[in-house]
Every structure is written in C-alpha cells, then in structure tokens.
C-alpha cells in the first residue's frame, strides 16, 4: 500500500503532536495541586490512574501512527516522481 504525500505528512505530524500534547498533559497531571490526581496523603487517585492510562495509550497510538507516516514519507522520497 502506498500513501500519498499529504496523508504521510499528516500521519507524521499527528504522531509528533500526540507526543507533545500528552507529555505536557502528564507533566501537568503529575504537578496537580487541585486534589484530583493525588489525595491528602499524596497517594494517586482513580482520576490519576485513568488519565495516566489514557496518556500511555495515546503515546502508543501516536507512535504507531507517526511511524506509519514516517515510513510513508521515507518511501515517497525514495521513489522518483513522474
């Protein structure tokens, strides 16, 4: 299967964007002072675990999608354009 140039770049950009957004989110989650992520004894709450799981799944999906886009861009650069 061959991806078009715009689709390849979109997938690559989505993978990079996903990592940027979710890394920022996890940093903010870790520093949460509102009491949602950690209770009074500084133990993680259910909110923390659910959102950390969402972030990890998004990291994995972003990596897979970005890798597909990167391979598509790399394949397009190897083939001569008519």
């Amino acid at each position: 299967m061959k991806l078009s140039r715009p689709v390849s770049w979109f997938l690559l950009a989505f993978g990079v964007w996903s990592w940027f957004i979710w890394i920022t989110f996890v940093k903010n989650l870790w520093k949460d002072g509102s009491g949602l992520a950690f209770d009074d004894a500084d133990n993680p709450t259910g909110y923390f675990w659910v959102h950390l799981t969402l972030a990890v799944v998004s990291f994995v999906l972003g990596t897979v999608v970005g890798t597909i886009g990167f391979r598509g861009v790399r394949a397009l650069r190897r083939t001569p354009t008519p």
Side-chain angles (χ1 to χ4, degrees):
M1 181 174 154
K2 187 174 180 181
L3 299 173
S4 68
R5 185 175 311 274
V7 170
S8 296
W9 279 108
F10 174 78
L11 293 176
L12 180 59
F14 180 83
V16 171
W17 176 83
S18 179
W19 269 85
F20 175 74
I21 292 299
W22 285 100
I23 285 174
T24 304
F25 180 80
V26 169
K27 286 180 183 178
N28 291 336
L29 182 66
W30 199 265
K31 296 176 189 176
D32 179 53
S34 69
L36 287 173
F38 297 97
D39 60 14
D40 294 334
D42 284 335
N43 294 322
T45 62
Y47 177 88
F48 174 83
W49 291 115
V50 166
H51 287 83
L52 185 63
T53 302
L54 287 172
V56 169
V57 169
S58 294
F59 287 143
V60 171
L61 292 176
T63 301
V64 170
V65 169
T67 301
I68 292 168
F70 177 73
R71 289 181 179 179
V73 168
R74 194 174 63 187
L76 287 169
R77 290 187 177 188
R78 285 188 299 212
T79 59
T81 53

